[in-house]
Amino acid sequence: MTCAVFALLVSCSTDDSPAAPHELQNLSLLREISNDTHIIELYTATGSLEQGHNPISLRIKDKTTGNYITQAEVSWMPLMHMASMQHSCPFSGVTKTIGTETLYNGYIVFQMAENQTEYWTLEVNYSIGSVGYSAIGQINVPASAKRRVNSFVGSDGNSYIVAMATPTQPTVGLNEMSAVVYKTVSMMNYVPIGNFTIKIDPRMPGMGNHGSPNNVELTQAGELYRGTLSLTMTGYWKINLQIINESEVLKGEAVTDANPASSLFFEVEF
Amino acid sequence: MWCSVAAIAQTNDSLRKLDEVILISPKKDIALRQTKPLTSIDDYLQQSGLVSMIRRGAYAWEPIINGMASERTLVTIDGMHIFGACTDKMDPITSYVEVSNLAEATVTSGVHGSGFGATIGGAVNLKRNRTGFSTPGWTTAINTGFESNNSQKIIGSAINYSTKRFFIDTDAMYRQAGNYRAGNHQKIAFSQFEKLNLSGTAGFLIAKNAVFETSAIYDKATDVGYPSLPMDVSLAEALITSARLELKPHNSAISVWDSKLYFNSVTHIMDDTARPEVAIHMDMPGRSKTYGGYSSVVGKWANHRFKANLNAYYNQSNAEMTMYPENPLENPMFMLTWPDVRTFFTGVFLEDSYEFSCHSVLKVSGSAGNHSNTVASDFGLESMRIFYPEMPRTNSRLLKSLAASFGFKKGIEYGFGLGYGERAPSVSEGYGFYLFNSFDNYDYIGKPGLGNEKSFEANLSLGYANKSVSARISAVYFKLRDYIIGRPDPALLPMTLGANGVKVYTTLPKAAIFNAFAEFECALSARLRSKTRFGYSLGRDDQNANLPFISPFHYNLSLIYKKDAFSGELTLGGNARQRSYAPEFGEDATPGYAIVNGNAGYGFALNGYRLYTKIGVENLLDAYYSTFADWNNIPQMGRNFYLNLIFRS
């Protein structure tokens, strides 16, 4: 449609268009990765990444035309470069953000933070029409201030990763909580797992370890596990977790007088 | 012509048996007649047979009328609504005024007390002092008092000036007390207090029948200890202001048309820094602001004496709690315990007393009002929605009452009455968020959708009076429906460290309260008089379990001697052992006790100045005791000597 209007002024193809600025609402630039032909702009809500679950949006800009690509098939591969080996992490596919022309999004769960010698890179692979392209760059993944991701071995012998997606800005009241669970098949292969139940028991260790009422355990709803996190006041909360497959507790212990915290937990502080 | 019979009884209007008037002002000549003129308002209110007190320390007692506490009763100051700012009820309204501000307190039992708002148990209206236009010139008074037990020092002054068209009253009163000692020399730590009260009233006779008055009270208490609670108060402050127009129309059925606009603001800050062992330090400030107005008429037409008033108020109640974790790097914990609740009430009250004859009167009163609560704070709304996800922000209800009573007096007197009334849940009952009650050790959660509490009451009285003897027996029975009370919810974990659990406010289908009392007065000689009082109360819920704060059998016997300017009094009073108590609410069986008090006073007159002196002793035998209403069984004061001096020009 826009093309028809600008037809006389700008050469327009259905594959790219100038980006409307409102598409970047609530997003800040993380960094740009480029190759010979395109610049990939990476965005997050805060403009930075941290250990744990991170929603990431991107745009692909054509270097010659300055226009953003509106139709492409996109995928990515995060890789952590360690001293003796490399490994990946759980991540989603990359899809077009609904209601936008140029934005694509997905999430990546960085189960480890970088350090002085070990770092993460992100390779973005995309094809426009029948032509394939690739770009790679280093991304900074500092440790998160509060724990948002756990890697553990379940009672069934499998390795898992569980990460909290929301709430990103908790408030006093009933918060929608979501999380993802992946099974570590190999260093490079992480598979999402459904049909578990994530029981949550939020407590305040700084105040007699009191809890909150009306939490709803997380069960799978689409790509995410969803439930309700009840927070009665601001401050530091430890969300004690138990991950259950059918009736078997894979990891985590209930909080009792004798046991103040589970070995598996998330933290929020606000 | 209204018949009056000289009687020794306390009531002014002898046929309105359900009202009691307690005279207070140290300014007036009655000062000499009061047991302890400069005592607290709480002490004055206790003179009423209907009123007992919940004590949480030496300071600020919560009045209970007919066995019902502040949620079920109405306390107003000159018809003005004012609400405490403390979620733990450490600041009943009586704590924000002083004896120097008041002329009298009118206590009305039951539903007839709905004159200024909905009530079930009854109402106390504290009436302000005013010099008026009738005594021109300057009058000054200086009051000083001292009490030995807690070294309480009292000093006050009053400076009044009036002309035929203008008057101005100013009062100041300052009290300071250290810790008190219970019987057997046991010192009660954290029972000190300090309070300053300043007030002024100015009146203008703007036309022959029109008076315009403005009034302000500023009351500030600091460093107030509450020995029975885990926290004290660093500041309890109130500003109470009003403007009033009073018209007295000529040649009209209406004798007085009184209209008032008012504003008051109460701040209450709890403080745990003085306590040695605090599990977690917390700041708990509360604020309550009320804007209101009323317009009322009193009149007479044929054999009817009528009263009507329109009244409205808007209150904002806000209380929060901030807790500081041991790890200073951790964020403090913050919650709203009263989530900025806005209460808006508008109502109308009508009362008619029809005199069949000089000897009999039928009084009918009714009221209707609209009461709405709104949670103004989003933070507060989301907090409450943890428990009630579907709760609306606003909740409205209609409150109504109807009462009729008949009185007859000719030598003997008798009266009976019936009434129906409703009340709305209080801010704590509707919207309280983890309010800790240290009496039963539970956290309480409010319930926004609670229905109106309803009461059916029936009362009866019988009496006789002549020049030397008067006797009166009365009984009142309340049948309550949808009685609002907190009930434990075993699924909820408490928030307060060490609490037993969480109670959520809910309603019981039925409860009943019964009160009976008897008073006898006898003139033993021209100078000597005896007064005897007995009272008995019972309160039961729908399971026939006892309700809390119901007084056991109590008695009071006194001998009063008067000769010219001298007066003396000896009293013996006490409670029987408490048999009907409510363990679910933290009560235990309080033992019985008896206390002996005595006082003597003399009024000197010198060159137009007057000096009233009163010396006395309370708890002469230094008994160690606590009453059913003492929070956590905190013991009462041991032997206390006092001296009050009132100097008037």
Side-chain angles (χ1 to χ4, degrees):
Chain A
M1 276 299 177
T2 330
C3 291
V5 176
F6 286 105
L8 292 174
L9 302 169
V10 178
S11 92
C12 196
S13 84
T14 52
D15 288 335
D16 57 66
S17 69
H22 70 267
E23 290 191 357
L24 293 179
Q25 217 171 40
N26 302 325
L27 291 175
S28 299
L29 185 69
L30 170 68
R31 68 157 295 175
E32 292 176 350
I33 303 175
S34 48
N35 55 25
D36 294 335
T37 48
H38 296 94
I39 297 173
I40 318 252
E41 297 169 356
L42 298 170
Y43 293 92
T44 63
T46 56
S48 55
L49 296 167
E50 60 174 358
Q51 183 184 8
H53 177 282
N54 290 264
I56 302 173
S57 296
L58 59 88
R59 299 195 298 184
I60 306 170
K61 185 154 105 174
D62 187 319
K63 270 180 164 175
T64 42
T65 66
N67 290 328
Y68 291 94
I69 309 298
T70 57
Q71 279 187 356
E73 298 293 312
V74 189
S75 67
W76 50 23
M77 174 58 73
L79 205 60
M80 184 170 194
H81 301 260
M82 298 181 77
S84 49
M85 44 82 107
Q86 294 171 336
H87 68 81
S88 182
C89 62
F91 57 88
S92 73
V94 183
T95 55
K96 188 72 170 299
T97 305
I98 298 167
T100 68
E101 297 273 310
T102 63
L103 275 180
Y104 296 81
N105 75 90
Y107 65 79
I108 303 178
V109 178
F110 300 101
Q111 74 276 49
M112 276 182 235
E114 67 188 18
N115 57 45
Q116 289 194 328
T117 53
E118 296 163 330
Y119 59 94
W120 286 89
T121 57
L122 182 65
E123 183 182 314
V124 180
N125 300 303
Y126 55 102
S127 53
I128 303 171
S130 52
V131 186
Y133 302 87
S134 181
I136 189 166
Q138 181 179 344
I139 46 177
N140 291 328
V141 184
S144 58
K146 296 284 166 251
R147 187 188 290 205
R148 305 169 57 231
V149 62
N150 287 285
S151 306
F152 62 92
V153 177
S155 58
D156 57 3
N158 293 320
S159 293
Y160 296 96
I161 294 174
V162 60
M164 179 165 66
T166 60
T168 48
Q169 285 178 320
T171 59
V172 169
L174 296 175
N175 292 261
E176 280 181 10
M177 181 169 176
S178 61
V180 293
V181 181
Y182 280 78
K183 179 163 142 185
T184 306
V185 174
S186 72
M187 288 284 99
M188 296 302 292
N189 189 7
Y190 301 83
V191 173
I193 294 285
N195 302 324
F196 286 173
T197 302
I198 306 176
K199 276 189 154 168
I200 54 173
D201 185 1
R203 298 282 180 141
M204 291 194 100
M207 196 185 165
N209 216 31
H210 75 83
S212 63
N214 298 337
N215 290 284
V216 176
E217 59 193 19
L218 282 73
T219 51
Q220 191 171 31
E223 222 177 45
L224 300 169
Y225 282 80
R226 292 189 191 275
T228 306
L229 175 67
S230 165
L231 300 172
T232 52
M233 62 186 82
T234 65
Y236 167 74
W237 288 83
K238 183 180 272 191
I239 305 167
N240 295 287
L241 305 169
Q242 281 188 295
I243 301 205
I244 298 167
N245 181 13
E246 311 266 307
S247 49
E248 190 191 352
V249 178
L250 291 181
K251 189 71 177 177
E253 304 79 35
V255 175
T256 61
D257 285 342
N259 178 37
S262 170
S263 53
L264 197 66
F265 61 89
F266 294 136
E267 298 170 319
V268 292
E269 188 173 20
F270 64 111
Chain B
M1 186 54 206
W2 189 242
C3 292
S4 64
V5 174
I8 317 166
Q10 264 182 323
T11 55
N12 272 348
D13 180 2
S14 40
L15 270 177
R16 290 191 300 138
K17 275 306 165 192
L18 295 169
D19 277 12
E20 261 189 82
V21 176
I22 301 166
L23 300 169
I24 294 178
S25 170
K27 285 184 186 166
K28 301 195 178 142
D29 287 336
I30 56 94
L32 193 57
R33 278 188 245 144
Q34 297 306 316
T35 302
K36 188 164 110 178
L38 297 179
T39 189
S40 62
I41 294 171
D42 311 316
D43 240 358
Y44 274 99
L45 287 177
Q46 283 202 112
Q47 293 173 24
S48 163
L50 298 166
V51 178
S52 48
M53 292 291 181
I54 298 179
R55 294 180 178 85
R56 295 178 176 84
Y59 183 84
W61 306 337
E62 183 190 347
I64 316 177
I65 306 172
N66 277 322
M68 296 186 238
S70 53
E71 303 85 4
R72 299 186 163 86
T73 58
L74 182 63
V75 177
T76 51
I77 299 175
D78 262 349
M80 300 186 283
H81 286 265
I82 170 170
F83 299 91
C86 175
T87 54
D88 295 349
K89 298 212 259 183
M90 291 155 96
D91 68 340
I93 303 317
T94 49
S95 65
Y96 292 113
V97 286
E98 258 292 357
V99 287
S100 54
N101 306 137
L102 305 180
E104 62 186 35
T106 306
V107 182
T108 309
S109 173
V111 164
H112 271 311
S114 302
F116 290 107
T119 180
I120 289 181
V124 175
N125 187 27
L126 303 168
K127 292 203 178 141
R128 291 279 336 253
N129 243 336
R130 53 195 288 281
T131 306
F133 309 101
S134 47
T135 49
W138 292 90
T139 47
T140 53
I142 297 180
N143 316 310
T144 61
F146 180 77
E147 298 191 20
S148 67
N149 185 297
N150 56 358
S151 301
Q152 186 179 164
K153 306 159 225 13
I154 307 162
I155 177 128
S157 71
I159 302 173
N160 312 320
Y161 176 69
S162 70
T163 67
K164 281 204 198 124
R165 302 190 70 90
F166 167 73
F167 76 88
I168 179 158
D169 292 342
T170 62
D171 289 273
M173 197 133 191
Y174 173 76
R175 291 180 191 264
Q176 192 267 326
N179 290 326
Y180 72 87
R181 267 181 299 106
N184 302 333
H185 306 287
Q186 195 195 21
K187 195 129 195 152
I188 306 296
F190 311 115
S191 61
Q192 76 291 345
F193 60 87
E194 184 173 358
K195 176 166 139 131
L196 174 68
N197 180 296
L198 301 167
S199 72
T201 306
F204 306 86
L205 194 70
I206 53 182
K208 203 165 78 168
N209 309 317
V211 175
F212 175 74
E213 262 179 35
T214 57
S215 169
I217 301 174
Y218 175 69
D219 190 288
K220 180 172 168 179
T222 49
D223 190 26
V224 181
Y226 282 85
S228 62
L229 295 179
M231 298 178 91
D232 305 308
V233 166
S234 61
L235 177 70
E237 189 180 42
L239 177 67
I240 304 167
T241 64
S242 63
R244 173 173 161 241
L245 181 65
E246 184 189 76
L247 300 169
K248 293 191 175 164
H250 272 320
N251 299 325
S252 166
I254 295 174
S255 51
V256 181
W257 181 16
D258 180 14
S259 307
K260 180 181 285 185
L261 287 174
Y262 61 89
F263 166 71
N264 55 67
S265 163
V266 177
T267 304
H268 188 268
I269 301 179
M270 293 195 241
D271 174 29
D272 60 5
T273 54
R275 299 298 176 106
E277 281 168 33
V278 169
I280 184 164
H281 168 56
M282 46 181 103
D283 284 340
M284 292 179 70
R287 278 168 194 89
S288 168
K289 286 194 174 121
T290 310
Y291 301 82
Y294 69 75
S295 190
S296 72
V297 294
V298 171
K300 196 163 155 57
W301 179 73
N303 285 345
H304 295 266
R305 270 192 167 194
F306 60 86
K307 245 197 248 183
N309 90 40
L310 276 170
N311 84 89
Y313 68 84
Y314 178 78
N315 170 266
Q316 176 181 2
S317 287
N318 208 326
E320 54 186 60
M321 183 195 274
T322 306
M323 290 163 278
Y324 298 93
E326 238 180 77
N327 178 358
L329 300 173
E330 225 176 83
N331 281 3
M333 307 173 218
F334 176 84
M335 49 185 230
L336 280 184
T337 46
W338 274 351
D340 197 1
V341 178
R342 311 290 172 92
T343 305
F344 184 51
F345 175 83
T346 51
V348 61
F349 172 82
L350 299 163
E351 182 189 282
D352 184 26
S353 295
Y354 179 75
E355 296 157 36
F356 294 101
S357 71
C358 218
H359 306 287
S360 58
V361 67
L362 172 70
K363 180 160 91 162
V364 178
S365 72
S367 72
N370 183 65
H371 183 283
S372 82
N373 294 118
T374 302
V375 179
S377 150
D378 288 340
F379 185 103
L381 187 60
E382 290 310 312
S383 306
M384 285 309 288
R385 280 188 169 153
I386 291 176
F387 294 95
Y388 310 101
E390 307 299 311
M391 72 174 261
R393 195 183 273 272
T394 300
N395 208 329
S396 292
R397 59 187 77 234
L398 191 63
L399 297 170
K400 33 206 189 298
S401 78
L402 185 63
S405 55
F406 175 80
F408 175 88
K409 187 180 180 120
K410 189 174 180 182
I412 73 155
E413 54 181 287
Y414 63 84
F416 53 87
L418 292 171
Y420 170 77
E422 296 174 343
R423 68 140 181 133
S426 65
V427 169
S428 292
E429 288 169 334
Y431 300 92
F433 190 72
Y434 287 105
L435 301 180
F436 179 62
N437 177 334
S438 65
F439 204 72
D440 62 9
N441 246 345
Y442 275 83
D443 279 331
Y444 277 70
I445 306 283
K447 185 167 176 181
L450 286 173
N452 297 346
E453 192 177 85
K454 303 159 191 70
S455 164
F456 295 90
E457 75 180 76
N459 56 71
L460 205 55
S461 67
L462 189 60
Y464 173 78
N466 65 26
K467 263 188 283 204
S468 51
V469 160
S470 85
R472 195 174 126 218
I473 302 174
S474 63
V476 58
Y477 175 73
F478 296 90
K479 193 163 180 179
L480 302 158
R481 292 255 183 278
D482 299 326
Y483 183 82
I484 297 171
I485 204 159
R487 275 264 125 104
D489 183 339
L492 297 174
L493 292 173
M495 180 214 67
T496 301
L497 287 139
N500 293 338
V502 178
K503 284 186 178 174
V504 180
Y505 277 103
T506 180
T507 55
L508 299 180
K510 288 185 222 180
I513 295 178
F514 173 74
N515 298 298
F517 61 81
E519 326 182 87
F520 305 99
E521 269 192 56
C522 186
L524 301 170
S525 77
R527 304 208 167 95
L528 190 64
R529 210 167 86 226
S530 80
K531 255 206 277 201
T532 316
R533 263 185 10 212
F534 303 105
Y536 173 74
S537 301
L538 204 55
R540 292 278 159 82
D541 69 12
D542 58 342
Q543 310 289 316
N544 220 23
N546 292 313
L547 292 177
F549 295 122
I550 302 291
S551 172
F553 176 76
H554 57 97
Y555 58 91
N556 195 294
L557 304 125
S558 51
L559 282 172
I560 304 149
Y561 178 85
K562 260 199 196 76
K563 182 188 175 182
D564 304 328
F566 174 80
S567 73
E569 193 179 344
L570 193 63
T571 67
L572 167 73
N575 281 15
R577 181 186 178 74
Q578 186 183 22
R579 287 188 179 76
S580 306
Y581 57 92
E584 200 190 313
F585 294 94
E587 290 194 328
D588 51 15
T590 311
Y593 65 86
I595 301 299
V596 177
N597 302 329
N599 67 70
Y602 195 86
F604 300 89
L606 322 140
N607 293 340
Y609 298 104
R610 294 206 213 150
L611 176 67
Y612 299 112
T613 58
K614 202 88 185 234
I615 56 168
V617 60
E618 291 168 328
N619 196 357
L620 179 66
L621 305 174
D622 202 24
Y624 179 93
Y625 73 104
S626 79
T627 74
F628 74 98
D630 288 321
W631 208 256
N632 287 325
N633 292 330
I634 198 86
Q636 291 279 306
M637 244 190 218
R639 187 179 306 125
N640 181 34
F641 291 100
Y642 63 87
L643 169 67
N644 288 169
L645 294 169
I646 300 172
F647 174 81
R648 280 183 49 198
S649 74

